[in-house]
Amino acid sequence: MSVAVLLFLGLGLLEAEGRRNRCFFNRTQEYCKCYNLSEETIGSIIQCLPATVVEFQGGDLEKYIAFPIGDLDSSAIETLDSLTIQKIIIGNVLVPEILLARVLRFFSYTHVQELAFESCIFQGTGNWSDMDGQNLPILSLSFHNVTSAPLTGQEQAFSSLSSWLGTLEELAVTGSRITSLPCAIGRVFRTLHSLDLAQNSLGDGSLSPAFCQGAFPQLQELSLRHNNLRSYHSTCKGVELLLELQHLDLSHNELTADPSPSCQWPASLRHFNLSSTGLDEVPTPLPPKLEVLDVSHNHLHAVDISLSSLKKLFLDQNLLQAVPSIRNYPMLDTLHLDNNSITELPRDEVKLLGRLQDVAVADNPFSCSCSGAGALQALAAAGHLGQGWPGDYRCHSPAQYQSWPVAQVPVSVLHCDPAAVVAPICVTLALLGLAGAVYVARARPCRRA
Ligand SMILES: *[C@@H]1O[C@H](CO)[C@@H](O)[C@H](O)[C@H]1NC(C)=O
Ligand SMILES: *[C@@H]1O[C@H](CO)[C@@H](O)[C@H](O)[C@H]1NC(C)=O
Ligand SMILES: *[C@@H]1O[C@H](CO)[C@@H](O)[C@H](O)[C@H]1NC(C)=O
Ligand SMILES: *[C@@H]1O[C@H](CO)[C@@H](O)[C@H](O)[C@H]1NC(C)=O
């Protein structure tokens, strides 16, 4: 019985004669992977019992829709309770919702904390009333590249599942062509900390309804990476009610830095990702208490902002010609400027850059004048240049050093500032000469006398 239940938990009853169809357990990783399980090879699932992660790949569950699933006897419950499985991954499976609705409650006897569906098709609609008031140990739920009936119109299901969903901490629905999220759904997720909606089709207009008053009241991390967002202003408006938000990822959208004087980002925002968003200027306003700002992979020509709490600033892959003034970021410890158009580190900034823990300026067209190469070598010697030194730091000018590694440009005093060495020698010689002359001059009258 318990094996049958485990089977249902994994939805692993699959048809696949003549194909690779059994489970493989990797003891080192405590990972068990099952391919196209069928009734004949179901015995091999036994070896998954000591696993922490079990993955089921492939199949079609349609023929089990009518399968009678009763309640569990006490020994089955005991077995489920003794399992150490923490995560179940279900991939490339056609899942009838009717079946899912009937087996989901069995998870309440397990310690499974994470459930992930990848490349699955959810079919039909289930009757979820068995889940009314039911809690599950699952805290993290993820769907990637799944197809299902539209979320609108599934209010009944969400209401039956609300006891459990109200305790969920992490939810990911990625790569699944989502265009909107009804307001009522967000209100079910009362304790959700992290929501990943990357690689969907959410547009500017879909945010305000999704993050309406009372939706996701405890949300701290939100990823909207790779969607159809266009307006910085509308995006700000769309998330302004998420008062606990700390991390926001807007990378890989084509944003326009339209002015948004009337919108305030949630004051709790600390990490902001605007990487690969097509920006040619830093948009305003920025969340004022940011600690991490990623504006890499854009078309920025200049950066003139100040943020008093900022610790990490990522500006790699832009068109910057100068290092931004470090004075604007008193708390900064990390600055990345790789792949820009910077020719030299300004003399008065080098000392400040030396105070940071991690500076990266690789793949810039450096001018290897004595001061230019010298500043980089000094920074590297102090151990502050991160990855890329010395290989990715090359001279662009002057002609005699073109494509030389910056690290190999001679910057000794004799080479760079001969006057500094020669002058004292000349002076010394001159003084010696003078002293000699005086001595001789003095000595002569004596001799004469
Ligand atoms: C188990 O996983 C480890 C780490 O990935 C790997 O080195 C090892 O070859 C795997 N063992 C088997 C039997 O597949
Ligand atoms: C997405 O899922 C479908 C099945 O629903 C599958 O055929 C397709 O290969 C998957 N795509 C990716 C990129 O995994
Ligand atoms: C920002 O997003 C990009 C692309 O999605 C990612 O590679 C990068 O690591 C993120 N930056 C930070 C600071 O997390
Ligand atoms: C700079 O850009 C080039 C070409 O796009 C890329 O190959 C290289 O990895 C980049 N370097 C860094 C440090 O990002």
Side-chain angles (χ1 to χ4, degrees), residues 191-203:
T191 58
L192 202 74
H193 287 172
S194 164
L195 177 62
D196 185 353
L197 295 169
Q199 293 176 273
N200 282 297
S201 309
L202 295 167

Side-chain angles (χ1 to χ4, degrees), residues 174-333:
T174 55
S176 298
R177 296 164 295 275
I178 293 185
T179 53
S180 67
L181 210 57
C183 169
I185 288 182
R187 292 182 175 151
V188 172
F189 294 91
R190 295 182 298 276
T191 58
L192 202 74
H193 287 172
S194 164
L195 177 62
D196 185 353
L197 295 169
Q199 293 176 273
N200 282 297
S201 309
L202 295 167
D204 296 330
S206 14
L207 300 186
S208 291
F211 305 110
C212 62
Q213 188 79 45
F216 306 104
Q218 309 223 7
L219 199 65
Q220 292 173 5
E221 279 187 43
L222 174 62
S223 173
L224 296 168
R225 183 172 56 85
H226 208 304
N227 272 276
N228 291 339
L229 303 178
R230 294 287 173 265
S231 153
Y232 184 77
H233 175 72
S234 306
T235 305
C236 176
K237 278 278 169 207
V239 302
E240 69 180 344
L241 296 177
L242 297 173
L243 299 180
E244 304 289 322
L245 197 63
Q246 293 179 13
H247 291 236
L248 179 60
D249 185 352
L250 301 178
S251 64
H252 293 276
N253 284 282
E254 273 309 307
L255 293 178
T256 311
D258 46 351
S260 55
S262 59
C263 179
Q264 294 298 319
W265 293 95
S268 48
L269 259 183
R270 298 289 180 269
H271 290 233
F272 198 23
N273 199 333
L274 291 169
S275 179
S276 304
T277 47
L279 292 170
D280 43 27
E281 56 184 301
V282 179
T284 51
L286 285 170
K289 291 185 188 156
L290 281 187
E291 291 176 6
V292 179
L293 175 60
D294 190 339
V295 237
S296 61
H297 296 256
N298 281 298
H299 315 299
L300 306 180
H301 288 272
V303 172
D304 185 19
I305 46 172
S306 40
L307 287 163
S308 58
S309 318
L310 200 67
K311 294 180 179 158
K312 302 187 192 306
L313 178 56
F314 299 99
L315 289 165
D316 35 303
Q317 304 268 4
N318 277 291
L319 303 166
L320 301 180
Q321 292 181 344
V323 176
S325 176
I326 313 297
R327 287 181 180 80
N328 294 339
Y329 319 101
M331 309 289 286
L332 205 67
D333 62 45

